[in-house]
Amino acid sequence: MALRAAEVPGQGRGPAKSLDRRSAIIAVLVISVIALGSVAVYQQSQLSALSRTISQQSSELAHPSTGLVLSNFTVTKANATAEPIMFLVARNNGTAPASTGSLLVIVYGKNNSIQSCYDGIESFFPLYSNESGIIISPLKCGDIGDAVGLTVQTDFLESGGSVTKVFTARTTIGLSQVIPVSTVVVKEVGVRTFVLPQVFPTENRYTWYLTIINEAPTPITSVHATLGPVDKPLATAFCIFRPVLVQGASCTDDPQTTRGTGPFATGQLLSVVVSVKYSNGTISNVSTTAVVEPPYALVQ
């Protein structure tokens, strides 16, 4: 009887154990299904995003956009008798490359005169997507106050052939803002310097032109110059010469300022500090200023 009494409780626990085992298996299966579902949802979202990207790229390839932005169109003269200088920036803001193009510049002068004044030598084509080009070119005619019309005909390459579009801009011939730059001699060190902007549709970048002339009988062995604050300069220049810079000799450097510098106004003065070392070991420091010129200054 004791043996049977001991067996009864054991038989009572058997079904409970089976039930617990089945519950555990079901729980594992549920968790697995949830995990697999999460993975499937994630993979589906990734495939969907990839599909949208491919669809967009396919659409751009099949139907590329075409566009050209003309900016900073100016025509200036240094004086009444000088030839006009045209300055123009173009940017391809589409997805199709601008393969070729032609520029027509018409000057509307006094007494209702109309003249075609651009010889067409300069060109910024081809222009690829998000690429910019600059033209700085003289014109054959035009006086201060005359109206100028620009027409740019551009051929864009597409998968099915080329598409031709026409873009226009207008301006008036004005007096140049170029400031004459002279050589300043300080402590027998000649310094000729100025800053020139490179104009792009999205930003301006600046190039600092610096020429050092040795006016002393002692040769110069090294040159170090900074534009702007000495502790945080906008640009640093080093003249490179071999082996020394003798009296009357010069060296030139044209570094770009740090990206994002500016904007500077035409005529603005920036500080310049030049340190020269002579062959006898002495060092001379001189200070001057660099003027900010308009972008077409080099051709006038």
Side-chain angles (χ1 to χ4, degrees), residues 185-200:
V185 180
V186 183
K187 300 178 183 178
E188 297 185 302
V189 177
V191 181
R192 179 181 176 86
T193 183
F194 61 95
V195 175
L196 198 64
Q198 295 174 284
V199 179
F200 297 94

Side-chain angles (χ1 to χ4, degrees), residues 68 98-104 118 120 122-127 135 151-156 164-165 167:
L68 200 68
S99 58
T100 60
S102 61
L103 279 72
L104 176 64
Y118 179 58
E122 298 285 342
S123 176
F124 36 57
F125 297 103
L127 275 182
I135 286 182
T151 301
V152 180
Q153 181 174 300
T154 309
D155 296 325
F156 295 93
T164 301
K165 287 194 174 183
F167 306 88

Side-chain angles (χ1 to χ4, degrees), residues 184-227:
V184 178
V185 180
V186 183
K187 300 178 183 178
E188 297 185 302
V189 177
V191 181
R192 179 181 176 86
T193 183
F194 61 95
V195 175
L196 198 64
Q198 295 174 284
V199 179
F200 297 94
T202 55
E203 65 172 337
N204 287 357
R205 303 175 191 172
Y206 297 87
T207 301
W208 172 35
Y209 293 86
L210 174 70
T211 298
I212 300 296
I213 305 169
N214 185 9
E215 302 288 353
T218 307
I220 294 176
T221 57
S222 66
V223 173
H224 178 272
T226 57
L227 177 71

Side-chain angles (χ1 to χ4, degrees), residues 30-238:
V30 170
I31 293 173
S32 300
V33 169
I34 293 174
L36 290 173
S38 300
V39 171
V41 170
Y42 175 76
Q43 290 177 339
Q44 185 64 32
S45 65
Q46 294 296 98
L47 290 173
S48 178
L50 180 60
S51 176
R52 287 195 300 270
T53 301
I54 294 175
S55 176
Q56 179 181 356
Q57 291 175 347
S58 299
S59 176
E60 289 179 354
L61 290 174
H63 306 285
S65 60
T66 56
L68 200 68
V69 177
L70 304 177
S71 61
N72 298 94
F73 178 48
T74 57
V75 181
T76 60
K77 296 185 68 170
N79 51 59
T81 59
E83 64 182 358
I85 300 296
M86 177 181 67
F87 178 71
L88 172 66
V89 179
R91 176 179 176 82
N92 184 352
N93 67 339
T95 58
S99 58
T100 60
S102 61
L103 279 72
L104 176 64
V105 179
I106 300 296
V107 173
Y108 303 88
K110 299 174 180 62
N111 301 321
N112 297 321
S113 65
I114 300 177
Q115 300 181 75
S116 176
C117 298
Y118 179 58
D119 56 18
I121 295 177
E122 298 285 342
S123 176
F124 36 57
F125 297 103
L127 275 182
Y128 298 97
S129 180
N130 295 323
E131 190 175 59
S132 298
I134 297 176
I135 286 182
I136 303 177
S137 177
L139 300 182
K140 297 181 294 184
C141 61
D143 295 318
I144 295 175
D146 290 349
V148 183
L150 168 69
T151 301
V152 180
Q153 181 174 300
T154 309
D155 296 325
F156 295 93
L157 289 180
E158 297 185 355
S159 57
S162 63
V163 174
T164 301
K165 287 194 174 183
V166 176
F167 306 88
T168 61
R170 292 183 67 89
T171 189
T172 301
I173 300 178
L175 191 63
S176 171
Q177 299 181 33
V178 173
I179 300 170
V181 178
S182 59
T183 300
V184 178
V185 180
V186 183
K187 300 178 183 178
E188 297 185 302
V189 177
V191 181
R192 179 181 176 86
T193 183
F194 61 95
V195 175
L196 198 64
Q198 295 174 284
V199 179
F200 297 94
T202 55
E203 65 172 337
N204 287 357
R205 303 175 191 172
Y206 297 87
T207 301
W208 172 35
Y209 293 86
L210 174 70
T211 298
I212 300 296
I213 305 169
N214 185 9
E215 302 288 353
T218 307
I220 294 176
T221 57
S222 66
V223 173
H224 178 272
T226 57
L227 177 71
V230 177
D231 58 338
K232 194 176 182 181
L234 306 175
T236 303
F238 302 91

